[in-house]
Amino acid sequence: MDDNLISMGKLQSDIKTMKLVSLFLKPEQRKQLNALEKQLDNMIAQTTAFNERFSSYGWCAYDSMSMTLIESANTAFEEGGIENAEQVLINYYKTDVNKITHWIKNSSRVFAVRYNLIQRFFEDHFAERYHASVPLGLIIVDGALTISQKAKVFLLREQQLMHGIV
C-alpha cells in the first residue's frame, strides 16, 4: 500500500489487531469486522490502481479524496482510457469539489487563519478569474509553507537547546 495513505494504513493495522481478539467478539461483530476488512481491501485496491494509472499524469490519491471519485475515475479508465478518466477528474474539480472546501478550514490552524482567502480563491477560480485565483493560490500556499517551516525550525531549535547542542 502507498505510504502516503496514512489513514488506510492505520485502519488496516486496527483491523489486524481486532482480528487477533475476534474470538472474544459476538458472531455479528465478527461479520461486521470481516465486512469492514473487505471494504478496506477494496479501497486499497482502488487507490493503488488509481495511483498506478494516474500518477504519471500528475494525479495522486490522498486521504480525504472521495472513494466514489477514485472508483469513477478507475471505471472511466477501464472503459475508455486516460482521456475519459481525466475528464471525470476534471469535471469533479470544476464542480463538486466546491461543495467540500470547508474541510480545508479544519485541516490545520495554518489554513484556518487563511480561510477567507481560500474561499476567495475558490470563488475566483470557479468564476474562471484565473488571473486572480492563481496568484492568490500561490500566496496561500507560500504563506502556509513559510509558517510550517518556521514552526519546524523553532521546534528543532528548541530540541537542540534542550539537549545542549547549541
Side-chain angles (χ1 to χ4, degrees):
M1 179 177 30
D2 189 333
D3 292 338
N4 292 323
L5 301 168
I6 296 165
S7 62
M8 284 188 201
K10 172 80 171 94
L11 276 173
Q12 198 171 39
S13 173
D14 290 348
I15 288 173
K16 284 180 184 177
T17 301
M18 287 297 295
K19 289 198 105 176
L20 293 174
V21 295
S22 65
L23 293 171
F24 303 107
L25 297 175
K26 295 177 184 174
E28 182 58 35
Q29 291 172 318
R30 283 195 294 269
K31 281 184 185 178
Q32 289 174 340
L33 183 61
N34 288 333
L36 184 61
E37 184 178 35
K38 285 180 184 176
Q39 213 176 0
L40 182 60
D41 288 346
N42 178 57
M43 289 171 67
I44 290 169
Q46 287 286 332
T47 303
T48 300
F50 181 94
N51 285 337
E52 287 172 357
R53 292 170 174 161
F54 302 111
S55 64
S56 62
Y57 295 95
W59 300 98
C60 178
Y62 49 91
D63 276 347
S64 59
M65 190 176 203
S66 161
M67 186 53 58
T68 303
L69 175 61
I70 291 171
E71 289 172 341
S72 295
N74 281 333
T75 300
F77 181 88
E78 291 163 4
E79 292 174 356
I82 189 65
E83 293 82 17
N84 275 4
E86 283 194 306
Q87 200 56 55
V88 167
L89 294 165
I90 290 167
N91 288 341
Y92 173 81
Y93 283 102
K94 285 176 77 174
T95 58
D96 295 345
V97 78
N98 195 25
K99 298 172 189 146
I100 61 162
T101 58
H102 64 278
W103 74 264
I104 296 170
K105 181 180 182 181
N106 300 323
S107 68
S108 76
R109 184 189 62 77
V110 172
F111 288 128
V113 299
R114 291 169 173 72
Y115 189 60
N116 61 334
L117 292 174
I118 292 169
Q119 286 177 305
R120 184 55 185 251
F121 162 79
F122 280 108
E123 199 176 287
D124 287 341
H125 194 74
F126 287 116
E128 297 182 3
R129 292 187 297 266
Y130 304 121
H131 63 281
S133 69
V134 171
L136 184 55
L138 293 171
I139 289 167
I140 292 166
V141 170
D142 182 62
L145 290 173
T146 299
I147 286 178
S148 295
Q149 289 303 92
K150 284 181 181 176
K152 286 179 185 175
V153 169
F154 176 76
L155 289 173
L156 178 62
R157 179 83 170 147
E158 188 177 276
Q159 289 174 349
Q160 290 173 338
L161 289 171
M162 286 175 53
H163 297 289
I165 296 172
V166 185

